[in-house]
Each structure stands twice: as structure tokens, then as C-alpha cells.
């Protein structure tokens, strides 16, 4: 039995995520976790909400709530949606947890002990009306280049010129609109990533099995321009992990917090500590996943994320881990994704364009979405959600291929033999050919799942469903029954057993439908078919079953058109 540690990039707290976010990390991570558990491996699957930073503060202010309350409520919302999509986390934590506070401060202390933290004095804009320093993007003014009057302190959106806040004409706070601003001296901590550059470069170079998308992004950041830059890891904010050097105060850093990008990946580790606390486990129970000196030597650690998160996971977080000098587990494989676009444009959280997780579950059960999203995962290039494609995929793959097979054979059996597996007849050449084809395809399916080639795995699973339909079409037990009912019984017996096989193989993609099939076939469970031939012998003559309800309803043209117009507009 192998031990697999799986983390999904942690979604930011300030609102409900769209389907593009979902397929970029959490959903494929869940597919892999479910598959590895089904293969009998020990899995620890972790995710969390990413709760610190200015956007959380602003979202809370907009909602009229204290930021801690806002985050607690939004964590519950995101957690319920994760359950709705059947994301099978062992723990869905919070980056604001006491465990993450402690670990973040611990790592900062270790990095400082090892000479990898530098204190830097900076000049930054302070707003008297807001009572705080303003991040560059929260200062607005007139662009000195083009005259656009809503240019941000980091960049002018109109002419794309990179700016410093002090370049702006008539600068004001984007939060309060106040012009009572002042440039003040402030001190920040920098992680000396440049000192770890060669070490990181060698480590990335050793990852020859990683997707090119992952390594090319890392190499670009390592070598483009002046190479890997040191990174500020503190901010002048209230909401976050207070800056401490381990458990000790950090002189000169009072009132400051760690930058959200420093503490967020550390939450992967903290989430397992939260898991231990929530489940009555010990520190040793979570450390055996993370400390190579405490049992994590044989753990394979796989991360899932969108391409925008790759630099932080290939460079910044490994710099934290390596720089600590402690034997923490480093990632073994990073599966990164391109973007999913929406119907001729992009998903947009700010414009409410596209389908968001709550809306998706309001109109259809999660399996419909899981199947489409995973079978169209943006692995090698960006992919696009269109309602036509979604309708076709659901109606063909799920309703016509899988659903129809199940409905046809169970109803035929009920009408001719009753609701139990019929006896009589023997398997011949046709059955031998089917079983051989299944063995080949199941092996290929497993290879794709092991390699996290999600589209290929989905195509193989669909091909396995198609084999059942082709077999029924070819054997035609409804015609056979009139002349040779025994032969028809043998076909029905094999086809009913195929439903059990499909329940097991399909579970990582469509867990609810799989559970329905397992229940209808009265199987109790659906263990992975390590031996296809044996799996097809599981239901013996006399085994009772029930005809399941319609597994997947087809999407009608009116519904498709209705949804298409409903989601093109603006969300409240
Ligand atoms: Zn401009």
C-alpha cells in the first residue's frame, strides 16, 4: 500500500468560486484522491480557504461584517459547496487557524536563523482617513502617461504603463476616496529567494517527469531578467498572521502581519494539524505525512493548481521549506492546469460572468458538472465551456451511453427473468472477446489515472461504457430470447455484472451515479476490479437487484437556451 499526500490550491475566501476555478485544482485533485483510495492506497487529501490579505478585508467591509466573522461565514459557504460537488477532502481547513499562525511564525523564525530573511526599509503610502498603509493597487489617481483618471498605483489599466503610486497625479485612497495621504517609511521582511536560486534550479531540473507547463513557468521565473527576486513577506495590515520570530516578538515588526502568499501554502501543512485536532489524532499522526524524519519518507506528495499558482508552488513555497533546513516533505509532482474559458470569453468573478459553483448545483446534480469538467479539463491548452458542448456531452456520454445501457438491460431482465440475475446458458466467443477488450481498456484507464492524464482517462472510461452497448447491440438478447432463452440469460447475466464493473470504475468521476448503481445492484460496495474477469462473476444467478431510477436526464434545448441567457449577464 502506497501513501499519497494530495493538496489542492486553496481557494481565496472573498466569494463563491466559478467552474473554471473548480476544474483548475479542487476537482481533479478529488478525482485523483478517489482513485488512489479505490486502489487501496492510504490517502491524505487536504484543502482550505485562503483567508488573509486586503481583498478579504475589503469584501468584509462591503458585506458590513468584521473580517473574522466574514471569513468564518464564507468558509462555511465554500465548505458546503465542496460537499455539494462531492469533494472528498480529509480536511478542509482555514489559513486563519491557530495551527497556521504557529507554523507560519515557526518557518519565519527558522528562515531568519538561517540568514534567509532581510529587513528592508521602504517608502509606502499611508492614508490618515483609513488609518492604514495602502497597498499600491488601492491607490487611484490620474495616469501621468495617458491622463486616465482611474489609474491604479501599480499599473494604468488604460495604457498598461507600470506605475509607482508616487507617479499618480492627484492620488487618493481607493478604499475611502480620501486624498489625505502621506509617504511614510516602513520596514518589511524579505525572503532571500535569490540565495536559494541555484538549489531551486537544480531541484526543478531534476523533475524530468513534471508537465512542461509546470517546469517552463518555474524556469522562466528563475532565469528571466535578473533572475529569481527576493520577496517581501510582510505587510502593514491588521488581518493576518502577526509577525513573530518563532514564538518570540520581532523587534521593529510590531503591528505587521505576514503577507498572504507566505502563509497560504504553509496552510497545507497546518490543515493536516487541524485534521489531527478535529479527529482526536496526535501530532505524530500528521507529522508522518510531512516530516521525512518522522515517517514521511515513503509518502508521494502531489499538488494540483492552475498555472497562475505555479511560481509560488515551484519556487516560493519550496524556498520556505528548503530554507528552514528541516526535513519537511517537498512536493513530488505538480499537476498544473491552463484556463477554462466561458462561452466565447472568460469567466469573470468581478463581472459575474459564467457559472458559479452554487448556481451550477441549483440547476443540475454535481455528477453532470463533474463529468463535463473533468472530461474537458484544460490540461494541454485552455479549453472552453459552451452550453452546446455541455448539452451534447451530458446527453450522449451520460444519458445515451451509460444511462441507456443500464436502463435497457435491467428493464429487459425484469420483463423476462424478473429482478434477479438469471441462470442458464454459457459464455462463448462473443463474451470472451468482450472480456478481453475490457481487460485491455481497464489497464489503459488505470495507466492514465496513475499518470493524471485526465482527458485520456475520461475517454477510456467512456470507451469502456461503449463496449457494453456494443455488446448488447451485437448479442441482441431480446431477439435471442424468442429462440434460445438460455443463451439470452447468459448475455443478461454478463451485462448485469457489467453494471457493477461500471459502478466501480466510474466512481472517481461520477460518485453519486456510481453509488446509485451499487445500491440498485444490491452490491453493498464497489471494490476496484483488480481482476476484471472475477469482477464480472460477482453477481451469481439468483442475485436480486432493482431497476434504478433514470440515471441521467437529458438536457432539453429550452433549458440550454434558458441557462445560456441567464448566465451571460451580471451576477448580483
Ligand atoms: Zn495611462
Amino acid at each position: 500500500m502506497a501513501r499519497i499526500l494530495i493538496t489542492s490550491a486553496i481557494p481565496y475566501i472573498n466569494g463563491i468560486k466559478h467552474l473554471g476555478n473548480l476544474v483548475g485544482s479542487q476537482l481533479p485533485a478529488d478525482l485523483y484522491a478517489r482513485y488512489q483510495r479505490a486502489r487501496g492506497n492510504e490517502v491524505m487529501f487536504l484543502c482550505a480557504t485562503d483567508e488573509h490579505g486586503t481583498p478579504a478585508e475589503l469584501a468584509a467591509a462591503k458585506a458590513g461584517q468584521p473580517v473574522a466573522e466574514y471569513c468564518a461565514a464564507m468558509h462555511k459557504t465554500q465548505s458546503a459547496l465542496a460537499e455539494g460537488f462531492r469533494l472528498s477532502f480529509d480536511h478542509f481547513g482555514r489559513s486563519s487557524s491557530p495551527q497556521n499562525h504557529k507554523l507560519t511564525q515557526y518557518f519565519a523564525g527558522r528562515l531568519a536563523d538561517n540568514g534567509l530573511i532581510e529587513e528592508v526599509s521602504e517608502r509606502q503610502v499611508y492614508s490618515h482617513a483609513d488609518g492604514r498603509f495602502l497597498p499600491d493597487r488601492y491607490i487611484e489617481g490620474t495616469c501621468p502617461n495617458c491622463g486616465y483618471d482611474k489609474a491604479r498605483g501599480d499599473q494604468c489599466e488604460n495604457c498598461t504603463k507600470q506605475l509607482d503610486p508616487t507617479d499618480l497625479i492627484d492620488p487618493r485612497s481607493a478604499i475611502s476616496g480620501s486624498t489625505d495621504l502621506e509617504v511614510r517609511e516602513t520596514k518589511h521582511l524579505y525572503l532571500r529567494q535569490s540565495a536559494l536560486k541555484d538549489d531551486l534550479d537544480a531541484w526543478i531540473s531534476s523533475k524530468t517527469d513534471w508537465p512542461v507547463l509546470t517546469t517552463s513557468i518555474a524556469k522562466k521565473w528563475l532565469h528571466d531578467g535578473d533572475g529569481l527576486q527576493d520577496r517581501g513577506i510582510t505587510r502593514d495590515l491588521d488581518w493576518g498572521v502577526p509577525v513573530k520570530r518563532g514564538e518570540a516578538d520581532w523587534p521593529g515588526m510590531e503591528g505587521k502581519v505576514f503577507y498572504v502568499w507566505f502563509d497560504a501554502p504553509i496552510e497545507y501543512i497546518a490543515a493536516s494539524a487541524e485534521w489531527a485536532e478535529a479527529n482526536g489524532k496526535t501530532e505524530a499522526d500528521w507529522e508522518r505525512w510531512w516530516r521525512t524524519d518522522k515517517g514521511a519518507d515513503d509518502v508521494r506528495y502531489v499538488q494540483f493548481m492552475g498555472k497562475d499558482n505555479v511560481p509560488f508552488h515551484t519556487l516560493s513555497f519550496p524556498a520556505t521549506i528548503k530554507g528552514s533546513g528541516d526535513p519537511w516533505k517537498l512536493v513530488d509532482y505538480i499537476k498544473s492546469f491552463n484556463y477554462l474559458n466561458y462561452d466565447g470569453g472568460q469567466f469573470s468573478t468581478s463581472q459575474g460572468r459564467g457559472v458559479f459553483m452554487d448556481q451550477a448545483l441549483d440547476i443540475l446534480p454535481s455528477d453532470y458538472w463533474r463529468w463535463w469538467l473533468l472530461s474537458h479539463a484544460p490540461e494541454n491548452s485552455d479549453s472552453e465551456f459552451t452550453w452546446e458542448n455541455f448539452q451534447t456531452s451530458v446527453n450522449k456520454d451520460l444519458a445515451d451511453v451509460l444511462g441507456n445501457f443500464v436502463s435497457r438491460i435491467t428493464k429487459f431482465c425484469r420483463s423476462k427473468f424478473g429482478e434477479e440475475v438469471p441462470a442458464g446458458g454459457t459464455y462463448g466467443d462473443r463474451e470472451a472477446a468482450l472480456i478481453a477488450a475490457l481487460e485491455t481498456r481497464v489497464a489503459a484507464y488505470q495507466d492514465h489515472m496513475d499518470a493524471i492524464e485526465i482527458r485520456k482517462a475520461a475517454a477510456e472510461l467512456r470507451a469502456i461504457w461503449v463496449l457494453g452497448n456494443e455488446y448488447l447491440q451485437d448479442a441482441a438478447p431480446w431477439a435471442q430470447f424468442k429462440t434460445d432463452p438460455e443463451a439470452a440469460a447468459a448475455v443478461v447475466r454478463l451485462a448485469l455484472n457489467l453494471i457493477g464493473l461500471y459502478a466501480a470504475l466510474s466512481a472517481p468521476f461520477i460518485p453519486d451515479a456510481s453509488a446509485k448503481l451499487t445500491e440498485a445492484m444490491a452490491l453493498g460496495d464497489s471494490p476496484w476490479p483488480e481482476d476484471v474477469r472475477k469482477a464480472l462473476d460477482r453477481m451469481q444467478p439468483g442475485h436480486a437487484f432493482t431497476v434504478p431510477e433514470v440515471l441521467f436526464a437529458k438536457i432539453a434545448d429550452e433549458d440550454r437556451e434558458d441557462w445560456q441567457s441567464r448566465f451571460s449577464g451580471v451576477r448580483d
Side-chain angles (χ1 to χ4, degrees), residues 188-250:
H188 282 295
L189 302 182
Y190 273 68
L191 174 59
R192 295 181 55 223
Q193 297 189 134
S194 56
L196 291 158
K197 184 185 162 196
D198 292 345
D199 191 359
L200 290 166
D201 199 9
W203 178 65
I204 294 289
S205 297
S206 75
K207 300 298 180 186
T208 51
D209 63 327
W210 284 13
V212 174
L213 179 64
T214 307
T215 49
S216 63
I217 293 173
K219 287 283 182 182
K220 186 171 150 53
W221 280 61
L222 277 165
H223 300 294
D224 273 16
D226 298 331
L228 188 62
Q229 299 297 299
D230 295 344
R231 193 172 179 89
I233 60 164
T234 55
R235 288 291 183 271
D236 288 293
L237 292 179
D238 295 327
W239 175 239
V241 178
V243 176
K244 285 195 162 197
R245 186 169 176 161
E247 289 176 8
D249 289 338
W250 205 311

Side-chain angles (χ1 to χ4, degrees), residues 48 52 103 115 150 157 193 203 236 251 292 326 362 369 555 559:
H52 295 134
L103 272 166
K150 287 190 186 63
E157 276 187 330
Q193 297 189 134
W203 178 65
D236 288 293
T292 56
D326 301 328
D362 278 348
W369 299 108
I555 296 173
D559 284 333

Side-chain angles (χ1 to χ4, degrees), residues 143-148 151 156-161:
C143 173
N145 189 44
C146 73
Y148 179 60
C156 173
E157 276 187 330
N158 190 49
C159 69
T160 74
K161 190 177 166 61

Side-chain angles (χ1 to χ4, degrees), residues 2-82:
R3 295 173 64 217
I4 322 268
L5 173 63
I6 302 168
T7 60
S8 157
I10 67 177
Y12 198 68
I13 195 72
N14 67 341
I16 290 166
K17 304 296 127 181
H18 55 62
L19 297 183
N21 300 133
L22 181 64
V23 75
S25 55
Q26 291 176 310
L27 189 55
D30 178 70
L31 178 81
Y32 189 61
R34 286 177 178 275
Y35 169 71
Q36 290 297 345
R37 288 190 198 109
R39 295 305 302 274
N41 294 322
E42 189 183 358
V43 169
M44 175 64 83
F45 177 25
L46 302 166
C47 191
T49 40
D50 177 8
E51 305 194 357
H52 295 134
T54 309
E57 292 185 307
L58 295 182
K62 198 177 164 195
Q65 280 176 299
V67 64
E69 256 176 53
Y70 171 83
C71 288
M74 197 49 81
H75 175 80
K76 269 194 190 144
T77 302
Q78 292 204 13
S79 188
L81 289 169

Side-chain angles (χ1 to χ4, degrees), residues 18-24 26-28 31 85 87 337 339-342 347 355-357 360-361 365-379 383-386 389-390 393-394 397-398 454-455 458 509-510:
H18 55 62
L19 297 183
N21 300 133
L22 181 64
V23 75
Q26 291 176 310
L27 189 55
L31 178 81
F85 276 94
L87 303 177
F337 292 86
Y339 295 134
L340 178 70
N341 292 318
Y342 178 78
F347 278 91
V355 186
F356 288 72
M357 285 171 74
L361 292 180
S366 61
D367 278 354
Y368 292 63
W369 299 108
R370 288 179 64 106
W371 173 252
W372 190 89
L373 290 167
L374 290 167
S375 60
H376 295 78
E379 286 178 299
S383 61
E384 186 180 23
F385 177 92
T386 68
N389 188 307
F390 178 63
S393 179
V394 165
D397 300 351
L398 298 180
I454 296 171
R455 277 176 175 241
F509 279 90
I510 45 174

